[in-house]
Amino acid sequence: MNAAKRIRVLVHSRGTGTNIFRTLVSLGCQDIGPKRLEIALATTDPDLHSGHEARLLHSALDFHAVEVLDARGLTRHQALNLAARDGDAEHLALVPEGARLHPQFLSHCLAALRGRKSPQAAFCAHTAGSADIRPFSRRPAFRPEQLIRHNAVGPVALIQRTAWDILGGLHPHLDYSLWDFWLRLVLQRGRLAQVSGLLAACPPLRRLSPEQDGRAKALLVVHTPGAFEPDVCRWALALLRGEGWAAPCAPGVIPSPRDVLALFAGLDQPLRPGSPGWDQRQLWSA
């Protein structure tokens, strides 16, 4: 099968056993057929995937190839860059360990990439996959400008290989490296397509402490200053310098210029959905 028809699936595994095998099984059930998938498994426990049982499972799922890569000592983003380095598949799929995909996830994403506006990446609605560990995440229809306030793209996505290569993959030293990647893609006039339908169940993202979250967001702003307003850049630099007025703000949310002015003046920030004090009893959907 030629490279134009294949998809290289990038998975970082921490060697937790059943979670990764559930993800592999859901990939093997994709309606485009497992023969189109080459699995690049960057794992902290390569031995888990070299044993007899693992080889039997890989063979039974009938993928085009399963490549086990040693990711010991690497961050998640370094591991994903390693997984993307080889192969000549035209598309890259980001799939977190523990994710279970609808059988039509990849086919719907491929159809979106062939759409009228020729986007460079496609993603879908999903359960979990958020740092606040909610079972569902309600978000409005995607607009690129949302990325300067929060990461509006889900943890599973399909990306054109050319776009990944032009951007140089993920920044290996940013906690919010995927968020940074989507921002850089949009700044380079790239397009993202949101596929309709709930097509993925994902594990919760690692929750950062308020201090870690604030620093991670500030480094994201400093790393891509052209995406953000001057007052937001001012907030990021002040937080990194340890100035007392520059609070981390709500988890996973970069303050707006109005929020920054309120922080500098010592005023309370307005309540946002999901922030402390907001009613958590309502239902949320992806």
Side-chain angles (χ1 to χ4, degrees):
M1 181 178 294
N2 63 45
K5 292 181 178 287
R6 290 202 308 272
I7 297 172
R8 187 170 178 85
V9 182
L10 315 183
V11 185
H12 176 226
S13 171
R14 295 181 177 88
T16 52
T18 56
N19 280 340
I20 184 59
F21 293 121
R22 286 173 183 154
T23 299
L24 292 175
V25 169
S26 79
L27 285 165
C29 293
Q30 293 298 296
D31 64 358
I32 63 172
K35 279 297 186 185
R36 291 187 62 177
L37 306 183
E38 55 182 51
I39 310 298
L41 190 58
T43 175
T44 58
D45 188 358
D47 294 339
L48 180 67
H49 297 277
S50 58
H52 179 66
E53 291 184 358
R55 290 197 302 271
L56 282 177
L57 175 63
H58 298 165
S59 176
L61 291 173
D62 204 26
F63 295 123
H64 174 78
V66 177
E67 185 178 354
V68 178
L69 304 167
D70 189 342
R72 285 175 288 198
L74 300 182
T75 66
R76 176 173 178 263
H77 308 117
Q78 289 171 331
L80 291 174
N81 284 338
L82 173 66
R85 188 175 62 190
D86 296 325
D88 55 358
E90 189 176 272
H91 300 93
L92 302 173
L94 295 174
V95 181
E97 178 182 41
R100 286 175 291 176
L101 307 179
H102 189 282
Q104 296 178 329
F105 167 73
L106 287 174
S107 60
H108 283 199
C109 287
L110 284 169
L113 295 185
R114 293 192 293 265
R116 181 172 57 85
K117 295 185 178 180
S118 299
Q120 284 72 46
F123 67 98
C124 68
H126 60 281
T127 62
S130 59
D132 52 16
I133 319 182
R134 287 188 195 142
F136 299 96
S137 176
R138 181 189 294 279
R139 288 176 177 170
F142 173 74
R143 302 187 313 278
E145 56 268 26
Q146 293 169 343
L147 289 169
I148 64 173
R149 298 281 84 88
H150 63 92
N151 184 3
V153 180
V156 291
L158 186 66
I159 307 168
Q160 296 276 12
R161 159 75 81 169
T162 51
W164 179 277
D165 291 342
I166 288 171
L167 293 174
L170 303 178
H171 191 291
H173 302 299
L174 292 178
D175 282 316
Y176 289 134
S177 187
L178 272 176
W179 187 355
D180 165 75
F181 181 85
W182 306 130
L183 266 173
R184 288 188 288 125
L185 178 63
V186 169
L187 287 174
Q188 293 290 330
R189 299 183 182 274
R191 294 187 179 92
L192 294 105
Q194 184 176 23
V195 177
S196 61
L198 180 61
L199 301 178
C202 303
L205 301 177
R206 180 171 65 96
R207 174 181 277 181
L208 302 179
S209 69
E211 294 76 16
Q212 291 172 324
D213 172 73
R215 180 174 174 80
K217 293 181 298 190
L219 287 172
L220 176 64
V221 172
V222 170
H223 186 66
T224 49
F228 297 94
E229 305 91 342
D231 279 338
V232 177
C233 295
R234 175 190 181 197
W235 163 83
L237 291 170
L239 187 146
L240 293 173
R241 287 195 294 260
E243 296 182 20
W245 68 268
C249 303
V253 176
I254 291 175
S256 68
R258 183 178 179 181
D259 295 332
V260 173
L261 293 176
L263 287 171
F264 190 71
L267 303 176
D268 291 334
Q269 288 184 274
L271 283 177
R272 299 178 183 276
S275 63
W278 190 270
D279 184 8
Q280 299 289 332
R281 292 174 296 176
Q282 56 190 307
L283 295 177
W284 297 81
S285 62

